[in-house]
Amino acid sequence: MTTTVSPLAGKPLDPSLLVDLARLGQAYFERPDPADPAQRVAFGTSGHRGSSLLHSFNEAHILAIAQAICLYRREKGIDGPLYLGIDTHALSRPAFETALEVFAANGVTTLVDADLRFTPTPVISHAIIGHNRGRKHGLADGVVISPSHNPPADGGFKYNPPHGGPADTDATGWIERKANALIEAGLAGVARMPYARALASEHVRRHGFREAYVAELGSVVDMEAIRTAGVSIGIDPLGGAGLDYYAPIIERYRLNATIVDQTLDPTFAFMPADWDGKIRMDCSSPYAMAGLIAMKDRFDVAFANDTDADRHGIVTRSGGLMNPNHYLAVAIDYLFTHRPGWRSDAAIGKTIVSSAMIDRVAARLGRRMVEVPVGFKWFVEGLSDGSFGFGGEESAGASFLRLDGTSWSTDKDGLILGLLAAEITARTGTDPGERYAALTRDLGAPLYARIDAPATREQKAVLKSLSRAQLGTDTLAGEPITAVLNEAPGNGAAIGGVKVVTAQGWFCARPSGTEEVYKIYAESFRDEAHLAEIQQEAQAVITAAFAAA
């Protein structure tokens, strides 16, 4: 179960290994085979993703998904504008044009960037919330065309309903089924008009997303404190949608900030390869972030985002790239002691596989901690009504309330999490890395890791319903087991696996939704040897359960 790191990791790739943009574009117009499960529309936790080279993200998919969304809007009575954003992946532009052809032909008022450029996921969420605030009718929703941090050959298509956050499984399941039915019917029933006519139609409007979002940043992050303190900031958009946003932010708030790389290149040739030798705009990966890490001593704090800017990667002078779990703990500890405008009962939301350090921080703060399954959709309601001050997941995605305790975004916002690192540095005089070190002195220093192991479809089904009786043990790494969870304690929803907890450690095993593997997340508050023992026993227990089944 060890991960083999490619010799290419952290280095620029040879041009021969870069994506062939011409071939990628040609393949977009090839027809997928709906009889092949790998070529059907499939909504995961972050929408439909695939590649035209694999016939899993093609024009037919986008035509069908866009039409299905139009039908879903009619079904649910959603008749306000649809906010449409894209990132900088090569497949995002043709998918944008295809979607607009369908939306316009269906008479859906669609708002796009004023300059037909890029719009981050959190900006779409922020726009939806802003439009819908105080409304009961004419509600808006949105679409973001992005595969997040995935490799350059990938495309992605996400739907955000009127609450502004990721759609739940009821919505995505409905859209997925309808889209596949349309593809099976040869796209009969899909309304469409030529792109030029769609763009010129009354149904498509140019919108100042950037101006509206940037103007309100001071309501969620203390921008004046950052400016006054003169915190030196390094920002790397990693060639993503944040490219269009940081210069206006720096100018408006007069920040001492530098955008370290403004390259826009859909091959992402400027990116160092990730751990497996593939380009991946993963701002939590030390390999993908090698360039910014090398600059850490130039700035008080630095940060990066993935291509749709819903994730954050924080680099500090004191410790380099922060583990996402570590920064979540720091952000929570800071926010709940520096936001007097929040409700006194505002809770902390975390996913089932996030660090138990967050539990300890929450206990020290005297705040309720709500543990939910993997997926940001579980935080939407709380971030909408202010009952959650913060929602975050282990994969470097989070959002939080405005200073006055009202909703800012109900999707992950990597821009405000990066700026928060600068606010923390400005107002406390210590960077987030130093603050995490202080937390560990008070609350313990956990060691956290995730590993993958092979699993068949049948084995993954076993894992989803694994019970305490099937574990065959009352101890884990020498400690009594205090809980075995198949449901998240915060909301009772199925976690799609099992979590086993002791006083000083835990593991969670979950099947992958897209690959023939399962994932073991594990954490120890003791040492590396204890963590390794937890991982080994976890794998042994699960292997035995597979054999028994």
Side-chain angles (χ1 to χ4, degrees):
M1 293 185 68
T2 56
T3 300
T4 302
V5 176
S6 168
L8 300 175
K11 303 172 185 175
L13 289 183
D14 184 89
S16 64
L17 299 175
L18 300 176
V19 63
D20 182 338
L21 295 178
R23 175 69 191 115
L24 189 71
Q26 292 167 357
Y28 176 74
F29 296 100
E30 296 173 4
R31 283 294 182 99
D33 178 5
D36 183 348
Q39 297 184 32
R40 292 172 66 82
V41 172
F43 273 79
T45 55
S46 297
H48 173 75
R49 292 184 185 178
S51 175
S52 63
L53 301 177
L54 300 175
H55 293 106
S56 53
F57 193 91
N58 303 81
E59 182 187 50
H61 295 110
I62 307 309
L63 288 168
I65 296 170
Q67 183 63 46
I69 288 173
C70 293
L71 297 174
Y72 179 81
R73 296 178 100 244
R74 292 173 201 164
E75 177 88 4
K76 298 299 180 180
I78 302 169
D79 56 1
L82 183 147
Y83 293 97
L84 179 61
I86 65 169
D87 77 352
T88 55
H89 275 76
L91 286 173
S92 294
R93 181 61 61 181
F96 170 84
E97 295 182 2
T98 301
L100 208 58
E101 292 173 354
V102 175
F103 293 148
N106 279 273
V108 174
T109 298
T110 307
L111 276 64
V112 299
D113 177 73
D115 301 314
L116 297 181
R117 281 179 62 87
F118 314 109
T119 312
T121 287
V123 175
I124 294 294
S125 178
H126 178 266
I128 294 170
I129 291 170
H131 176 88
N132 292 341
R133 187 173 286 115
R135 291 177 182 266
K136 293 185 178 179
H137 306 287
L139 298 179
D141 57 0
V143 164
V144 182
I145 301 175
S146 166
S148 187
H149 62 288
N150 278 24
D154 286 7
F157 202 99
K158 303 186 290 186
Y159 176 63
N160 288 39
H163 57 52
D168 62 23
T169 50
D170 288 342
T172 57
W174 195 100
I175 293 167
E176 178 184 304
R177 290 189 295 273
K178 183 64 68 174
N180 282 319
L182 288 166
I183 293 174
E184 290 167 356
L187 299 175
V190 174
R192 183 183 190 183
M193 67 170 64
Y195 175 67
R197 189 152 65 89
L199 199 59
S201 75
E202 62 178 333
H203 304 300
V204 176
R205 300 178 187 170
R206 308 293 181 99
H207 183 68
F209 286 105
R210 183 168 54 252
E211 293 76 11
Y213 180 89
V214 172
E216 293 197 347
L217 274 173
S219 72
V220 68
V221 177
D222 191 342
M223 303 298 285
E224 181 61 20
I226 299 171
R227 184 194 67 79
T228 303
V231 176
S232 63
I233 309 166
I235 303 171
D236 192 345
L238 299 183
L243 278 166
D244 287 350
Y245 282 72
Y246 282 116
I249 289 170
I250 292 167
E251 181 180 1
R252 180 182 181 94
Y253 295 100
R254 293 175 289 161
L255 303 182
N256 179 22
T258 302
I259 304 172
V260 302
D261 192 340
Q262 301 191 57
T263 306
L264 176 61
D265 173 9
T267 70
F268 293 90
F270 56 90
M271 283 290 300
D274 203 1
W275 66 272
D276 56 357
K278 297 179 180 179
I279 292 177
R280 195 176 284 111
M281 287 60 69
D282 184 354
C283 47
S284 63
S285 165
Y287 304 104
M289 290 279 283
L292 191 58
I293 294 169
M295 302 180 198
K296 71 180 184 67
D297 293 331
R298 287 177 47 188
F299 306 104
D300 295 323
V301 68
F303 58 87
N305 302 122
D306 62 345
T307 50
D308 68 324
D310 68 346
R311 298 190 186 198
H312 59 270
I314 309 300
V315 176
T316 67
R317 184 176 287 169
S318 65
L321 178 65
M322 293 189 72
N323 178 294
N325 277 296
H326 298 178
Y327 183 59
L328 292 184
V330 168
I332 290 165
D333 183 64
Y334 173 82
L335 284 167
F336 282 88
T337 52
H338 289 78
R339 291 296 188 267
W342 290 5
R343 285 168 40 175
S344 60
D345 65 345
I348 297 162
K350 62 164 271 196
T351 52
I352 195 85
V353 295
S354 297
S355 173
M357 175 63 96
I358 295 170
D359 304 53
R360 298 187 179 194
V361 168
R364 189 171 75 168
L365 291 167
R367 292 281 182 163
R368 184 168 63 98
M369 197 275 296
V370 182
E371 192 169 12
V372 301
V374 172
F376 207 80
K377 63 186 178 184
W378 302 107
F379 302 129
V380 168
E381 184 178 349
L383 289 171
S384 294
D385 64 16
S387 60
F388 279 16
F390 182 96
E393 53 187 13
E394 81 297 334
S395 55
S399 191
F400 52 90
L401 301 177
R402 295 174 187 251
L403 296 167
D404 65 3
T406 59
S407 182
W408 169 259
S409 72
T410 49
D411 212 329
K412 301 183 289 288
D413 191 333
L415 290 88
I416 64 169
L417 266 295
L419 292 167
L420 178 67
E423 179 190 328
I424 291 170
T425 305
R427 294 193 61 184
T428 69
T430 54
D431 71 37
E434 293 169 315
R435 290 185 66 82
Y436 183 73
L439 285 179
T440 64
R441 289 192 291 271
D442 295 339
L443 303 175
L447 298 161
Y448 179 100
R450 192 195 98 184
I451 49 180
D452 296 352
T456 64
R457 184 175 300 178
E458 294 73 23
Q459 288 172 331
K460 290 198 293 182
V462 170
L463 191 55
K464 287 185 176 181
S465 58
L466 196 62
S467 67
R468 182 164 193 153
Q470 290 173 289
L471 291 178
T473 181
D474 292 321
T475 63
L476 175 66
E479 288 189 296
I481 292 172
T482 58
V484 177
L485 306 171
N486 299 105
E487 298 176 344
N491 61 1
I495 64 175
V498 63
K499 183 174 182 178
V500 179
V501 185
T502 70
Q504 294 297 315
W506 59 271
F507 80 81
C508 182
R510 298 178 61 253
S512 168
T514 57
E515 301 175 86
E516 295 301 297
V517 299
Y518 72 93
K519 305 171 184 181
I520 293 180
Y521 305 80
E523 186 170 45
S524 166
F525 273 84
R526 284 168 48 183
D527 51 35
E528 290 280 3
H530 185 235
L531 176 63
E533 192 174 356
I534 292 174
Q535 292 172 321
Q536 290 162 6
E537 291 191 18
Q539 187 181 16
V541 164
I542 293 164
T543 300
F546 286 166

